[in-house]
Amino acid sequence: MMSEKHEQVVRTEDKQRAQAVERSEQQPDTIFVPDVDIREDDAALHLLADMPGVDQESANVTVENGVLTIEGQSRLEGPVGYELVGQEYGTGRFRRDFTLSDAVDVEGIKARARHGVLDVTLPKHEAVKTRKVAIES
Amino acid sequence: MFEVARWPRNPWSVFDELDSLHTDFNRVLDGWDRSTESAGRYDRASRYRAVYPPMNVWSAEDGIVIDAELPGVDPKAVDISVQGDELTLKGEVNTATADDKAVCYRRERPSGSFTRTLRLPFRADSSAVRAQYRNGVLRLSIPRPEEEKPKKIAIEAA
């Protein structure tokens, strides 16, 4: 099934989530955890994160010590002069961390924010890309 | 004795959903709901467990503004219609089929078709509704027609 290397990439960062709760309890601002879709094809891993209200300038993607951090700040203000009469969602900061395996070529990571979705492409190192082996007759 | 009513006293509940519409349209959240178990007590980006898209509603004398969270949706694929005092939002989200060769490790973002109807506190003119889609948030501005605006009643001298 999934090889160990790939499992590392998608491993849920329980520890980091716990830290996020601690941080949000200490600070007045809440940190929202964005929903993500993670897919892998032959050449790269693709991560899509829902961050409504976040644009190119307020999104931030960093890699440090093999941990990918995606962040964003929702910037949509309510209309001026109106009273909030119903609220189903909150706005604020988004943040989520992922541990990357060695298979990822960190230098080649690309990210784009569009329509409130952060699209991150994580290319795999040449050596680990799937290669079809021709069978000699 | 009398309790001084707080203004605006509004018997209209903004999320007064029409019951008949609850039945089929939670499909979009079926797969999504299961994945929220892992989120536990963390604040999710959207706490919508029963309806999609989640909305925030503002009100003023001039009209109503509704913000709906719809990240990654094609604005052309969203149908907004107003009939009387009912506003209906219908569309599809994340239904583009992924590359068959790709392996999916995590699928948390909602996908499927959605329909949601809100009852407005006034009968709106559908041609006056403005919709803007910015950074994944759909903002609907619905002006209150003149006849529905609160009117001051002069007290005649006795």
Side-chain angles (χ1 to χ4, degrees):
Chain A
M1 285 311 196
M2 272 201 293
S3 74
E4 196 195 18
K5 272 192 190 166
H6 299 157
E7 269 181 336
Q8 277 182 329
V9 178
V10 301
R11 188 178 72 203
T12 311
E13 267 61 47
D14 289 334
K15 192 171 65 145
Q16 271 142 343
R17 283 170 185 270
Q19 284 169 357
V21 167
E22 273 172 32
R23 261 183 261 122
S24 68
E25 278 164 0
Q26 290 156 12
Q27 296 163 3
D29 52 87
T30 322
I31 299 173
F32 295 98
V33 179
D35 291 334
V36 299
D37 285 350
I38 303 179
R39 275 175 25 246
E40 177 182 2
D41 60 30
D42 288 344
L45 285 128
H46 302 273
L47 185 148
L48 294 164
D50 271 356
M51 295 191 186
V54 172
D55 57 19
Q56 197 77 25
E57 277 121 42
S58 59
N60 202 32
V61 177
T62 48
V63 180
E64 195 182 324
N65 292 332
V67 174
L68 171 78
T69 297
I70 55 175
E71 286 175 300
Q73 177 75 43
S74 167
R75 305 220 286 198
L76 197 60
E77 304 287 328
V80 180
Y82 282 75
E83 181 196 358
L84 187 66
V85 293
Q87 184 172 22
E88 287 181 339
Y89 67 89
T91 54
R93 273 186 64 209
F94 293 95
R95 184 188 163 131
R96 195 155 174 186
D97 303 319
F98 301 88
T99 299
L100 300 178
S101 77
D102 297 335
V104 174
D105 174 12
V106 171
E107 300 298 317
I109 294 177
K110 289 197 169 25
R112 192 173 77 138
R114 201 165 156 258
H115 291 332
V117 179
L118 186 66
D119 188 342
V120 187
T121 302
L122 304 118
K124 301 194 271 193
H125 281 299
E126 281 303 321
V128 298
K129 281 185 182 168
T130 309
R131 256 189 189 79
K132 202 162 162 56
V133 179
I135 299 165
E136 294 171 49
S137 60
Chain B
M1 290 297 288
F2 283 115
E3 188 191 323
V4 174
R6 198 172 64 81
W7 186 89
R9 183 169 180 76
N10 202 347
W12 158 71
S13 164
V14 68
F15 297 119
D16 199 1
E17 309 278 349
L18 298 180
D19 281 334
S20 59
L21 290 163
H22 268 169
T23 48
D24 306 319
F25 302 116
N26 288 331
R27 208 165 23 103
V28 71
L29 299 185
D30 282 345
W32 184 85
D33 267 346
R34 269 176 253 123
S35 71
T36 61
E37 286 161 14
S38 59
R41 60 197 176 94
Y42 299 96
D43 276 310
R44 301 290 301 190
S46 317
R47 281 212 161 281
Y48 44 91
R49 293 205 76 90
V51 287
Y52 183 87
M55 296 180 182
N56 288 347
V57 183
W58 287 269
S59 173
E61 200 176 287
D62 288 340
I64 297 264
V65 169
I66 298 174
D67 272 3
E69 266 193 349
L70 282 164
V73 84
D74 176 8
K76 290 192 279 290
V78 178
D79 183 33
I80 304 162
S81 62
V82 174
Q83 193 170 4
D85 64 351
E86 286 170 21
L87 168 82
T88 300
L89 222 62
K90 200 193 298 201
E92 285 198 342
V93 60
N94 295 328
T95 46
T97 45
D99 178 13
D100 280 333
K101 293 193 298 164
V103 175
C104 181
Y105 288 125
R106 200 170 276 261
R107 191 120 178 264
E108 298 172 352
R109 295 163 69 228
S111 72
S113 53
F114 64 88
T115 297
R116 188 163 178 197
T117 299
L118 287 198
R119 190 189 301 279
L120 304 168
F122 51 80
R123 281 212 271 276
D125 175 9
S126 62
S127 59
V129 176
R130 267 185 63 225
Q132 291 170 290
Y133 184 62
R134 231 184 107 222
N135 294 333
V137 178
L138 179 69
R139 173 163 284 188
L140 301 167
S141 306
I142 306 154
R144 202 183 290 259
E146 273 308 315
E147 58 270 16
E148 302 264 6
K149 286 190 180 170
K151 299 218 171 358
K152 272 192 90 65
I153 298 172
I155 300 167
E156 294 168 44

